[in-house]
Amino acid sequence: MNTIDNQMLVIFGASGDLTARKLIPALFALFKGGNLPENFLVLGASRSDLSDQEFRDKVVQNSPYFKKYGKKETKRILDSFMDKLFYQDLGDSYDVEYGKLASRINSLAAQYNTQGNCIFYLSTPPNMYEVIARNLSEQNLANQKDGWKRLIVEKPFGYSLSTAKALNTGLQKYFEESQIYRIDHYLGKETVQNLLVTRFANSIFEPLWNRNYIEHVEITNAESVGVEKRGGYYDKSGALRDMFQNHLMQIVSLIVMEPPIDDKAEAIRDEKVKALKSIRIMKDEAVLYQNTIRGQYLSSDLMGEKVLGYREEPGVANDSTTETYAAVKFYVDNWRWKDVPFYVRTAKRMPTKVTEVVIHFKSPHHHIFSQSGVIDKDNKLIIRIQPDEGILMKFGVKVPGQGFKVERANLEFYYDDLAETTLMTAYERLLLDAMQGDPTLYARADEVEAAWAFVDPILDYWKNGKDVITYGYSAGVWGPQNANDLFNGKYSWRNPGALLGEDPGFCVIS
Ligand code: BG6
């Protein structure tokens, strides 16, 4: 197990939603599990005028995310956890002189003996990231002479390739690349990491993991919710920026990558970057037209309830063409993947919440049982990332009786079946890794830029291209009517069931 130094975590944007919803509950879980160092404290910093006690009340005592705790024993643990939380008001802006903040950090560090080790977590509007890094550096707080310093940066990391590059250069003026941790919470998901283990700790999959045996690869990320209260942010972002450029490209890189030389952070990240750089960038309008589909959800009645269309959501322009559905077909230009199409989609207001990777294997070269209907039923390896994390293999078995009728059977594994295991949430895992100085599950500058390099021309085409259509789809169905056009008639999306083992294809309409 990695060691963990005494340290302080300073959260910028501490009065915001992410702190209360994800960060503090994750820290509490780590505390309860005995994973935090002996000398540890959290200093919240933001533009709200709060005392230490008011901050504790807000993020723990009165927080809806702590409602589930309350029994006597837990109360004791909660109280000692709350003693570790402090707050510093920054005033009206993040762009102020950080003298006061620096003296608070230094005095808390001395009082609680955190040995000068400090993580700065930026959970603020992204245009503040560089500003905060500069102000920290001006107070000598990026300097590692007296204890290490790390910077965790939330998404969105840039709005385009050029803004991501500018942000990288901006942050690297004040912090070394090795100090910067770009968070992508999908990398904290156990099953996303398991993609590496499935591939590289088994000898049954990797020999088949290439163009000789794989017909195509499909990735679906579906959410049943709409944009909720984030219409203002989302309308400027859209599905491609919000989910595809980061979370889905990370998953793609783990499927595409070559075996790393070992499990060290840089070895894995080097291969991921190489994988991302091998994806064929589409620039030609005709190619982009044929290989991308964008859609937007329309109002509908779901389970007896009227659901708003995207344009009716608060904060969304009533003539918005921002996509809530994005599907892209692409190729990877390298030896392993030549001519294997990848189909990747993400969308809101789908029939269910699910993320899964489907590896479709080629049908056998010679069909002995050609009368049995097996030809169109390919072998599949389905890696379910959420909600019911697991792996399912579909393979042919003989139907009992005369002759050789073949049917598909399921071989399933569920993480839940590992009885003694409690899965850490993504934020628990990622925070713990950063505290231990392990950047494996964080995105490196060149990874982020390689992902943007692929996504940028699609965004540009969707914004400025001719013939670009945003298709409507009713909330609660699997996307627009032409969603399967990307497959050119040969296949179609596997619209997953609510549970891994269920047959696909349902939608919720009443
Ligand atoms: C976030 C997106 O990064 O991921 C949200 O901004 C999305 O729009 C969320 O809802 C989905 O995360 P998860 O872990 O629930 O799949």
Side-chain angles (χ1 to χ4, degrees):
M1 200 172 128
N2 295 338
T3 54
I4 184 157
D5 300 327
N6 292 328
Q7 59 193 276
M8 175 184 320
L9 173 67
V10 180
I11 304 177
F12 287 86
S15 57
D17 177 58
L18 186 83
T19 304
R21 192 161 47 89
K22 296 283 185 194
L23 303 183
I24 300 293
L27 289 166
F28 179 62
L30 290 173
F31 175 69
K32 228 164 62 116
N35 290 307
L36 294 182
E38 187 150 342
N39 300 343
F40 175 80
L41 63 96
V42 176
L43 177 62
S46 68
R47 293 169 297 186
S48 308
D49 181 13
L50 298 173
S51 64
D52 290 342
Q53 191 53 48
E54 283 166 334
F55 179 58
R56 292 169 186 172
D57 289 346
K58 181 177 161 62
V59 295
V60 180
Q61 199 72 44
N62 305 330
S63 162
Y65 307 105
F66 274 81
K67 280 235 166 75
K68 58 182 173 193
Y69 306 110
K71 291 193 203 96
K72 255 194 169 164
E73 176 59 10
T74 324
K75 164 111 183 39
R76 209 171 41 78
I77 305 174
L78 270 176
D79 287 345
S80 39
F81 174 68
M82 280 197 294
D83 288 346
K84 296 184 178 297
L85 307 183
F86 301 87
Y87 184 82
Q88 178 68 36
D89 179 12
L90 289 175
D92 294 340
S93 159
Y94 286 104
D95 196 6
V96 288
E97 209 244 2
Y98 284 1
K100 255 199 197 155
L101 177 69
S103 27
R104 186 83 197 276
I105 290 176
N106 293 333
S107 74
L108 283 169
Q111 194 181 343
Y112 293 91
N113 192 19
T114 52
Q115 291 161 342
N117 299 323
C118 199
I119 298 185
F120 302 102
Y121 194 118
L122 309 192
S123 169
T124 62
N127 56 351
M128 289 296 117
Y129 295 164
E130 190 180 334
V131 169
I132 294 171
R134 172 172 42 80
N135 288 325
L136 286 172
S137 156
E138 277 170 11
Q139 297 297 326
N140 236 350
L141 288 168
N143 188 313
Q144 304 204 81
K145 260 207 289 232
D146 183 17
W148 52 253
K149 307 289 182 300
R150 296 176 190 141
L151 188 72
I152 303 184
V153 190
E154 261 296 332
K155 68 167 265 257
F157 198 87
Y159 187 76
S160 60
L161 177 58
S162 61
T163 52
K165 277 185 174 166
L167 185 51
N168 277 331
T169 319
L171 294 179
Q172 287 162 351
K173 274 193 253 167
Y174 309 107
F175 287 81
E176 304 280 328
E177 174 60 23
S178 59
Q179 293 176 276
I180 304 173
Y181 289 65
R182 295 169 194 79
I183 203 162
D184 185 306
H185 81 276
Y186 267 58
L187 286 175
K189 291 181 194 273
E190 205 49 58
T191 25
V192 172
Q193 295 155 40
N194 194 44
L195 284 169
L196 286 176
V197 175
T198 304
R199 286 191 58 192
F200 303 129
N202 292 297
S203 54
I204 54 173
F205 299 119
E206 198 50 23
L208 308 182
W209 208 265
N210 59 53
R211 65 186 307 273
N212 295 326
Y213 296 97
I214 294 180
E215 213 289 333
H216 66 278
V217 177
E218 207 187 322
I219 303 175
T220 289
N221 168 269
E223 290 184 274
S224 47
V225 292
V227 290
E228 300 183 289
K229 292 181 192 138
R230 299 159 71 225
Y233 147 78
Y234 195 90
D235 207 32
K236 291 190 202 74
S237 167
L240 211 60
R241 284 191 180 91
D242 184 51
M243 292 293 301
F244 199 104
Q245 183 278 332
N246 37 64
H247 308 322
L248 291 179
M249 292 301 277
Q250 284 292 338
I251 295 176
V252 167
S253 72
L254 295 171
I255 294 167
V256 167
M257 72 190 265
E258 293 300 313
I261 50 172
D262 56 34
D263 66 353
K264 303 285 178 306
E266 293 322 310
I268 293 176
R269 290 155 125 202
D270 285 348
E271 292 305 335
K272 284 170 67 193
V273 174
K274 212 168 90 192
L276 290 167
K277 285 185 173 168
S278 321
I279 299 174
R280 189 184 306 165
I281 295 177
M282 298 182 277
K283 288 210 165 136
D284 182 86
E285 285 220 354
V287 174
L288 285 159
Y289 176 79
Q290 278 163 10
N291 292 288
T292 65
I293 295 183
R294 70 189 319 219
Q296 190 185 86
Y297 63 81
L298 306 169
S299 67
S300 94
D301 284 314
L302 282 183
M303 319 283 275
E305 207 183 294
K306 174 137 179 67
V307 171
L308 293 182
Y310 176 68
R311 289 180 182 181
E312 296 142 15
E313 301 273 18
V316 172
N318 57 15
D319 58 352
S320 169
T321 55
T322 299
E323 78 284 354
T324 59
Y325 175 103
V328 181
K329 173 185 177 184
F330 60 83
Y331 289 91
V332 178
D333 284 332
N334 65 16
W335 193 279
R336 185 187 286 267
W337 293 111
K338 184 166 170 49
D339 295 334
V340 179
F342 281 69
Y343 301 88
V344 182
R345 65 177 166 170
T346 176
K348 295 210 183 268
R349 283 285 181 222
M350 297 275 102
T352 189
K353 178 173 173 73
V354 60
T355 303
E356 65 172 35
V357 175
V358 189
I359 309 291
H360 293 258
F361 290 95
K362 288 186 170 167
S363 71
H365 301 310
H366 178 61
H367 294 274
I368 306 171
F369 311 116
S370 54
Q371 301 306 312
S372 61
V374 73
I375 299 164
D376 50 340
K377 292 181 185 156
D378 54 0
N379 287 125
K380 294 182 192 65
L381 176 70
I382 301 164
I383 303 169
R384 185 89 152 190
I385 287 164
Q386 57 187 19
D388 45 345
E389 296 101 337
I391 294 182
L392 183 146
M393 226 158 91
K394 286 197 173 280
F395 66 106
V397 292
K398 182 181 172 301
V399 176
Q402 281 190 311
F404 288 101
K405 190 163 163 28
V406 182
E407 251 321 325
R408 284 283 166 249
N410 286 354
L411 203 59
E412 297 162 41
F413 156 76
Y414 292 93
Y415 262 82
D416 265 2
D417 296 344
L418 303 175
E420 282 131 48
T421 321
T422 5
L423 296 189
M424 276 192 186
T425 64
Y427 274 94
E428 281 168 54
R429 174 64 204 271
L430 292 173
L431 278 168
L432 187 59
D433 280 5
M435 288 178 188
Q436 294 175 333
D438 179 355
T440 314
L441 301 176
Y442 284 84
R444 209 168 60 186
D446 49 357
E447 265 179 75
V448 174
E449 290 180 16
W452 273 118
F454 174 71
V455 166
D456 233 23
I458 305 175
L459 286 168
D460 185 48
Y461 166 67
W462 281 0
K463 186 161 173 235
N464 303 313
K466 286 188 259 103
D467 311 323
V468 180
I469 299 167
T470 305
Y471 296 94
Y473 61 95
S474 301
V477 304
W478 285 105
Q481 217 171 12
N482 61 334
N484 284 325
D485 286 1
L486 289 182
F487 291 85
N488 300 328
K490 206 170 164 200
Y491 293 93
S492 55
W493 290 107
R494 182 190 121 89
N495 292 331
L499 296 171
L500 176 55
E502 267 176 12
D503 279 336
F506 79 104
C507 62
V508 187
I509 48 171
S510 64

